[in-house]
Amino acid sequence: MKRTIIGLATACVAVLGLTACGSSSNPVSGSSGASGAPSPAGTITIGSGNFTESTLLADIYVAALTAKGVKVNTKLDIGNREAYFPALKSGTIDLIPEYSGTLLQYLNANATEVASDPVYAALQKALPSNLTVLNQAAAEDKDAIVVTKATSDKYHLTSMAQLGPICGQLTFGGPPELKTRPDGVPGFKKNYDCTFGTFDSLDAGGPLTVAALKNGQVQAADIFTTDPSIPDNGWVVLADPKNNFAAQNVVPVVNKAKLTPTITAALNAVQAKLDTRTLASLDAQLNAPDKPDPSDVAQSWLKSVGLG
């Protein structure tokens, strides 16, 4: 299930309070939406989508640039891609964290690339001429087949490539649209010769799916890779060597006119430190009972990796 605009919105509603969806309760000072004039010369305006992981990533970029003496303005919690991408094109905002696969599909609905590097290369070509991307992070937030450690141990299961012989013994849980989407049931069969014994229609990686995997109702489930439930429960994300699910690497999209060597170096240093496990851990911190502000989590992490 590619993380389309509609799919992401559905997922966020389904998992509100359990995953990285939602909006920051305390945006960085200066946020005011996507309206207004372009930021003045010498200032870079960073935006975010209206879910917490996007705000967190924007706050990481803000803190990293501020630490290097870059003057930063923020317009966080703007909305979905239809709201913030036109603002990026027009220069109302200058930088935003994105996900490579869904942005490529937004820009080119006919794109067929699925692996990380081809998606990144195609994205660079598909962007408007005034925008560019910096290095992509290893971190991805995308669909994955997840199993419990007990299931992984029982079947020596770490990859979707190992599913074929045992698929018929497992019940799979996920959103109903996976029955027909190319990267759902048809993709499982085509890429891995996997036909699950039973398909339970649940939600898009939300509380129903998490509970079903936890209580044994299903033995495999479609869950987003940065969902805190994965590390919290010690679950195993199955590798996807044939890229059934398209790459969704975190990548900063930037207005070329505002890009400087300092900005490039600072953000590429962040990207080099950001992997999926780290992003999932940061998302989990945001779901702690005390609900810390994303900017505090961002600054703490940057200091821990020597970039704050």
Side-chain angles (χ1 to χ4, degrees), residues 37 43-44 57 60 79 88 101 139 167 171 177 231 241 264 280 285:
T43 299
I44 186 165
L57 290 166
I60 289 173
L88 190 61
C167 246
T171 297
E177 57 264 30
T264 299
Q285 291 180 45

Side-chain angles (χ1 to χ4, degrees), residues 37-75:
S39 57
T43 299
I44 186 165
T45 299
I46 299 179
S48 79
N50 60 342
F51 59 102
T52 303
E53 186 175 278
S54 182
T55 302
L56 169 68
L57 290 166
D59 282 335
I60 289 173
Y61 296 159
V62 169
L65 294 181
T66 302
K68 295 297 182 181
V70 177
K71 189 175 181 180
V72 179
N73 184 35
T74 58
K75 294 185 177 181

Side-chain angles (χ1 to χ4, degrees), residues 45 80 103 115 119 152 167 189-190 248 264 285:
T45 299
N80 61 19
L103 180 57
V119 167
S152 175
C167 246
K189 177 63 177 176
K190 176 183 176 182
Q248 300 292 354
T264 299
Q285 291 180 45

Side-chain angles (χ1 to χ4, degrees), residues 119-136:
V119 167
Y120 181 66
L123 178 58
Q124 291 173 294
K125 295 177 182 179
L127 284 167
S129 60
N130 65 323
L131 301 177
T132 190
V133 288
L134 300 182
N135 292 352
Q136 62 179 352

Side-chain angles (χ1 to χ4, degrees), residues 8-291:
L8 179 57
T10 301
C12 287
V13 170
V15 297
L16 186 60
L18 291 176
T19 71
C21 300
S23 60
S24 172
S25 60
N26 294 296
V28 172
S29 177
S31 65
S32 58
S35 61
S39 57
T43 299
I44 186 165
T45 299
I46 299 179
S48 79
N50 60 342
F51 59 102
T52 303
E53 186 175 278
S54 182
T55 302
L56 169 68
L57 290 166
D59 282 335
I60 289 173
Y61 296 159
V62 169
L65 294 181
T66 302
K68 295 297 182 181
V70 177
K71 189 175 181 180
V72 179
N73 184 35
T74 58
K75 294 185 177 181
L76 305 183
D77 199 24
I78 293 170
N80 61 19
R81 193 170 282 110
E82 285 92 347
Y84 65 68
F85 201 79
L88 190 61
K89 287 173 63 177
S90 70
T92 302
I93 58 174
D94 302 311
L95 186 154
I96 201 161
E98 261 288 6
Y99 302 89
S100 59
T102 48
L103 180 57
L104 176 60
Q105 287 289 328
Y106 173 80
L107 296 169
N108 177 11
N110 296 316
T112 58
E113 292 82 2
V114 292
S116 181
D117 289 343
V119 167
Y120 181 66
L123 178 58
Q124 291 173 294
K125 295 177 182 179
L127 284 167
S129 60
N130 65 323
L131 301 177
T132 190
V133 288
L134 300 182
N135 292 352
Q136 62 179 352
E140 293 187 81
D141 187 356
K142 68 173 185 175
D143 297 77
I145 293 183
V146 177
V147 299
T148 64
K149 187 176 185 303
T151 297
S152 175
D153 290 345
K154 179 179 180 180
Y155 296 105
H156 307 288
L157 187 59
T158 59
S159 170
M160 291 174 70
Q162 300 163 322
L163 279 171
I166 62 167
C167 246
Q169 304 173 49
L170 305 179
T171 297
F172 176 80
E177 57 264 30
L178 278 189
K179 288 183 178 180
T180 56
R181 287 189 175 179
D183 56 358
V185 169
F188 303 159
K189 177 63 177 176
K190 176 183 176 182
N191 292 315
Y192 297 109
D193 193 27
C194 167
T195 302
F196 286 105
T198 305
F199 184 107
D200 273 11
S201 293
L202 300 169
D203 52 12
L208 294 179
T209 302
V210 169
L213 185 60
K214 197 169 184 177
N215 66 26
Q217 175 185 334
V218 302
Q219 290 77 54
D222 177 74
I223 299 177
F224 295 126
T225 51
T226 61
D227 193 305
S229 68
I230 296 173
D232 286 351
N233 291 283
W235 291 340
V236 177
V237 176
L238 299 187
D240 181 14
K242 294 188 177 180
N243 297 294
N244 179 76
F245 298 113
Q248 300 292 354
N249 296 82
V250 173
V251 61
V253 184
V254 192
N255 183 337
K256 289 180 180 178
K258 292 298 184 73
L259 202 54
T260 67
T262 298
I263 291 172
T264 299
L267 294 184
N268 283 343
V270 169
Q271 297 295 100
K273 297 286 188 181
L274 196 60
D275 59 21
T276 302
R277 183 182 295 272
T278 296
L279 186 55
S281 174
L282 295 173
D283 284 341
Q285 291 180 45
L286 295 176
N287 282 277
D290 60 344
K291 298 297 180 185

